[in-house]
Every structure is written in structure tokens, then in C-alpha cells.
Amino acid sequence: MSIHKKFKNVYLLYYLLTLKKTFEGDPKKIKAKQNRDIHKLMKRAYEIPFYRAKFEESGTTPDDYHSAEDLVKFPLLTKPELRKWMQDEWDNHPEIHDKVNVHATSGSSGVPLRVLYSQKEQGCSDANWIRVLMAAGYHPFFGKMYSFQTSHRDPSDKSRDSFIQKFGVMRRKVVSEDYCVGDGIADTIRDINEYKPDMICFRRNCLVRIVAYAEQHNMPVWKPKLYCPISEMVDDVTVKLLTKTLGPGLIDAYGISEMGSSIYKLPGNDFYYLANDIAAANVYDDNDQPADNGRLIITATYKRDYPLINYDVLDIVTSYTKDGLRYFKSIEGRMNDLVKHEGGADSSALMLMRIANKVVGLSQFRFIEETYHDMLIELAPDPNNTSMTREQIEDHFISEVKKLYGDEFNIRVEWKDVLEPEETGKQKCFICRVK
């Protein structure tokens, strides 16, 4: 490991000591700190040629930015722009290769994006996640975590307990999700039951498969104090399914590889906090004007080596402001999940995804637009909830799709025990296969 990367743990400790331990507090003080951080970020960005060009484009200087509201003056950052800048930084500065951390993501576009993190930025991102768990009630030193092996984990890392873990400190069991398929799920459930973790962190589709398998085979599952489905959006159907089996300790965390997680719904809350001490957020409507409901535009105030400013993530949110701070009511998914129409404009798939909101008796659902005129709806039942019959569920889905699109699509429904994830390992509620 590079000596530079060892500094990450120093920064991690620093941020663990300095980040607020809760998202609550005096709104005026929280807002004042965010305002100061935004000004510092913009002063730093002005020194970077990539962002200097955006200042010149907007005719502004760092002195024009002292709040999240001021950021509406600054041009939006798109994923293609970020991709090119990050690649240029990597290609033109080989001296940084052993100094930075690289997070790679393909997202829904399928086009790889390499995101650079300095060790200070990585330390802050990691510390932020730990404090989120602490805010929800997890003890990072004495709690037991059961998590999947991420693509960012060094495969050479030892899987056995470290010296301090043998003494019951910072215990974590990291497993591969490759076993979370077919009858291998039974072994995963038995392993969870034996380990009895306080916290489980798995991809959403893997947690769904575990719960669905347990119900189908009448297997008990250990209820952790907390659990967090990550990497994928959590819809209402998933929430009902998971809480029924795993209990009320659901942490719904929203994040992107470009900056880590920054928006959280903690157990017992019906709204999402924004981590105002590391992020700022605005919402734009279809005309790129500030609004409460629309596209999420996010800024990582802690990323000052490789800034992320006014990033248009294309996710749709509903929000409100209170005492100058923004809160979120829902995070609904990507605006670029589009239904394609022959001879007409594409339309958002969000209305399709909402069809499942009032349905009971489902564990999973997925819409697949196969051609301009063929729509497949895949459904997986909830074996322990039969208050709606399969016929009633099918009729509901078909009638609601017809309300949206008339007779545009030939609709067929397929029932499966479980909906397997795509080759990427993720599981989307809508897939368009029209070229």
C-alpha cells in the first residue's frame, strides 16, 4: 500500500472527532456552517482550470457564493463532463496514481465513470458513514456488522478477524454476495443466524432475495438492530417486505459513487435528512428553475481536491425547506429511465414504478419494455400476504399501464419466485430494451 493511502486513517479519525454526531441541532448554526463551507469550496474550485471555466461561463467569482441558494448561479455539472475531467486528471497526472482512491461506476448508462478521491476526501466519506450508523444507534467499536464484499475492497485484504476483533472490538464479517442465489441463500441465512449481527449491509436485491427465500421455505431470520439496503433505490414494496421480516431498523441511505452517501432516512422517521455539514442540495424543475420537487442537484462541500459542484444526478425527489434547511420526502429514481415511444417523445418511467405503491402481496416487480409495442411485467409474490389474488394484482398492473399508454403496448405478465438481478448485480424496476 502507498504511504499516502495510509494517511486515510488519520483523516478518518479526524473527521470522526469533528463531524456532528447527529443531523439535528440549531438550524441557524447548521446553515451558517454550510454557508461557510460553500464559500471555501468555491474559492478552492476557482483555482482549478476545469471549474475556472465554469466561473467564466457564468460571469461570477467565489465572492458570489455564500449559500446553497447562491449555487443556482453556477452552471450544472453533467456526468459526461465529470467523466472527461476525471479521465483527463488520471491520464495527465500519473504521479497521483498511488496517492488517490478510485471509485468506478457504470450506473444506468453503462458507460464507466472513474471518480478520484484524495485520502482526505476518502477519510471524510468513510467517517460520515460511520457517524450515520452511530446516529441510528449502531456502536462502531462494539457492534457486529455483516456486510457484502464491495468492488472497492482490496481482494488481498484478509477475511479473518484482526487482532483487535478477536477481543470483540470493531467486529465485521464480510461475505460474497455470490452465495446469495438459489439454495445458497439458505447457507447465508444460517450464517446470519449464527453470527447474530447488530447491523446488516447488503444490496437491496440481495436482502429481498434473502427475505423472500426465508418466507418461501419457512426459515427464521435473525432480526438485527439495524440494516441498510445499499446501491439501489428502496421502493415502498421493498420497505414493506423487509420490515415485515427484519424488523423496524431500516436505514434508507441515498448516495452516489461520485461523492458517497449524503441523504438518510433513519428508523422511525418519515423524512430524509441531508448531511448539511458535508453536502448542499438544490432541486430543479423541468425548466432548470429552483423548486421543491424535481431533479436533485447536489454539491459535495467536503470534496475540495476533486470538487463536485452542482452535479445533476438525474434522480427525482420531493422535498421541503424548514428553518432554511432542506429535507426530503421521497427519492424516486432516475429521470433517464425512459419509456420509448415510436414516433414520439420519450417519457419518464416513474409513473410505471408508482403502480406498485398500493399493491399488497408482492415482494418484487419489474417492467421490461421489449419493443415499441411489447411490455413485460415480471412479478414475484409475497407468500405470506395473499389479501390480493394474483389475478387482482395482474388486473391492477395491466389497467394502470393502459391508463398511462392506452393500447400502445401488448402487455404480458410473468410470475416468478424471485426476480434475479441484472448482470451488473443491480436490480432495476424498469428496463428498456428498445434500441
Side-chain angles (χ1 to χ4, degrees):
M1 177 185 291
S2 163
I3 185 64
H4 299 280
K5 294 190 176 182
K6 293 184 179 180
F7 283 113
K8 185 194 76 170
N9 291 331
V10 176
Y11 290 121
L12 172 65
L13 178 60
Y14 167 77
Y15 283 111
L16 279 176
L17 294 173
T18 57
L19 286 176
K20 281 173 54 65
K21 302 303 182 290
T22 174
F23 296 112
E24 299 176 338
D26 185 339
K28 292 183 179 179
K29 291 182 179 179
I30 294 174
K31 183 65 173 175
K33 181 184 185 306
Q34 185 189 65
N35 291 346
R36 292 193 298 271
D37 289 343
I38 287 172
H39 185 57
K40 291 177 183 177
L41 171 67
M42 300 308 278
K43 288 176 65 177
R44 164 59 183 146
Y46 196 70
E47 302 170 356
I48 300 172
F50 174 80
Y51 278 107
R52 175 68 74 90
K54 287 184 172 289
F55 278 102
E56 293 173 352
E57 175 188 341
S58 62
T60 61
T61 71
D63 287 336
D64 292 304
Y65 300 96
H66 295 274
S67 69
E69 292 76 17
D70 289 339
L71 288 172
V72 300
K73 309 170 191 175
F74 202 69
L76 294 177
L77 173 64
T78 66
K79 179 169 285 191
E81 287 178 316
L82 179 62
R83 180 184 295 112
K84 185 178 186 307
W85 177 44
M86 292 283 94
Q87 192 64 50
D88 287 346
E89 288 292 308
W90 182 260
D91 292 341
N92 297 333
H93 300 282
E95 71 278 6
I96 70 171
H97 289 187
D98 64 345
K99 299 178 182 180
V100 301
N101 292 306
V102 180
H103 290 196
T105 177
S106 61
S108 58
S109 68
V111 181
L113 168 63
R114 173 183 282 144
V115 184
L116 308 184
Y117 283 73
S118 69
Q119 299 310 314
K120 186 174 184 180
E121 292 171 342
Q122 187 68 64
C124 182
S125 179
D126 292 350
N128 172 62
W129 178 237
I130 293 173
R131 67 88 177 253
V132 169
L133 301 184
M134 293 172 64
Y138 180 75
H139 198 296
F141 291 102
F142 302 111
K144 293 170 66 177
M145 182 178 293
Y146 193 90
S147 65
F148 77 101
Q149 185 171 344
T150 71
S151 59
H152 305 307
R153 183 180 173 89
D154 187 341
S156 65
D157 286 351
K158 298 177 182 179
S159 59
R160 64 178 181 272
D161 284 349
S162 66
F163 177 77
I164 62 172
Q165 286 173 331
K166 292 180 180 178
F167 287 90
V169 178
M170 298 181 72
R171 291 169 293 174
R172 183 176 68 157
K173 187 167 188 177
V174 180
V175 300
S176 171
E177 285 191 346
D178 292 342
Y179 300 107
C180 209
V181 294
D183 288 334
I185 298 176
D187 293 330
T188 301
I189 293 173
R190 283 190 282 267
D191 196 39
I192 291 172
N193 291 343
E194 180 180 351
Y195 191 64
K196 294 180 172 58
D198 301 296
M199 175 80 193
I200 297 177
C201 286
F202 265 41
R203 295 186 195 274
R204 184 204 69 175
N205 73 76
C206 190
L207 276 179
V208 168
R209 278 180 277 145
I210 288 172
V211 168
Y213 187 96
E215 290 187 345
Q216 291 165 6
H217 296 82
N218 198 29
M219 291 185 68
V221 182
W222 168 259
K223 285 183 172 60
K225 180 177 181 179
L226 299 164
Y227 58 97
C228 184
I230 60 177
S231 296
E232 300 160 338
M233 293 289 185
V234 178
D235 53 67
D236 289 345
V237 172
T238 300
V239 170
K240 293 175 184 177
L241 183 73
L242 295 181
T243 54
K244 183 174 63 176
T245 300
L246 297 178
L250 172 65
I251 301 175
D252 190 358
Y254 171 85
I256 53 176
S257 292
E258 294 88 332
M259 67 169 288
S261 58
S262 57
I263 301 174
Y264 314 93
K265 180 189 285 187
L266 301 182
N269 289 343
D270 60 359
F271 63 91
Y272 294 79
Y273 289 104
L274 172 69
N276 290 283
D277 52 355
I278 66 162
N282 286 309
V283 178
Y284 284 8
D285 63 19
D286 292 339
N287 297 315
D288 286 347
Q289 297 300 309
D292 286 333
N293 305 328
R295 297 183 347 262
L296 175 64
I297 311 298
I298 200 156
T299 295
T301 55
Y302 77 94
K303 278 182 68 65
R304 297 178 190 169
D305 296 305
Y306 299 100
L308 192 79
I309 303 173
N310 266 12
Y311 187 48
D312 190 349
V313 296
L314 299 175
D315 281 335
I316 303 300
V317 299
T318 61
S319 72
Y320 61 94
T321 55
K322 180 180 179 182
D323 298 326
L325 301 179
R326 187 176 296 276
Y327 300 85
F328 295 89
K329 295 184 287 186
S330 68
I331 303 173
E332 300 187 3
R334 291 295 168 90
M335 191 175 182
N336 61 351
D337 284 336
L338 297 175
V339 179
K340 295 186 179 295
H341 306 282
E342 189 173 30
D346 299 342
S347 62
S348 171
L350 284 177
M351 297 306 295
L352 278 176
M353 299 176 194
R354 292 173 182 167
I355 290 175
N357 288 351
K358 297 182 179 180
V359 175
V360 294
L362 280 182
S363 62
Q364 295 171 283
F365 68 95
R366 179 159 58 204
F367 296 89
I368 302 175
E369 184 182 3
E370 299 176 307
T371 73
Y372 281 122
H373 300 290
D374 294 286
M375 179 82 72
L376 170 63
I377 304 173
E378 294 183 329
L379 304 173
D382 178 352
N384 290 334
N385 190 332
T386 58
S387 53
M388 288 182 70
T389 66
R390 290 193 178 191
E391 289 75 15
Q392 288 173 323
I393 294 173
E394 287 184 23
D395 289 344
H396 173 77
F397 271 81
I398 292 171
S399 63
E400 292 299 314
V401 172
K402 286 185 177 294
K403 286 179 184 178
L404 292 173
Y405 307 115
D407 294 326
E408 183 175 350
F409 293 103
N410 299 313
I411 304 167
R412 59 191 179 94
V413 177
E414 288 186 3
W415 287 88
K416 299 184 176 182
D417 291 337
V418 64
L419 304 187
E420 299 294 343
E422 291 79 61
E423 292 181 359
T424 60
K426 292 190 175 184
Q427 187 143 22
K428 298 177 68 175
C429 297
F430 174 77
I431 299 172
C432 181
R433 292 178 177 164
V434 179
K435 300 298 183 182

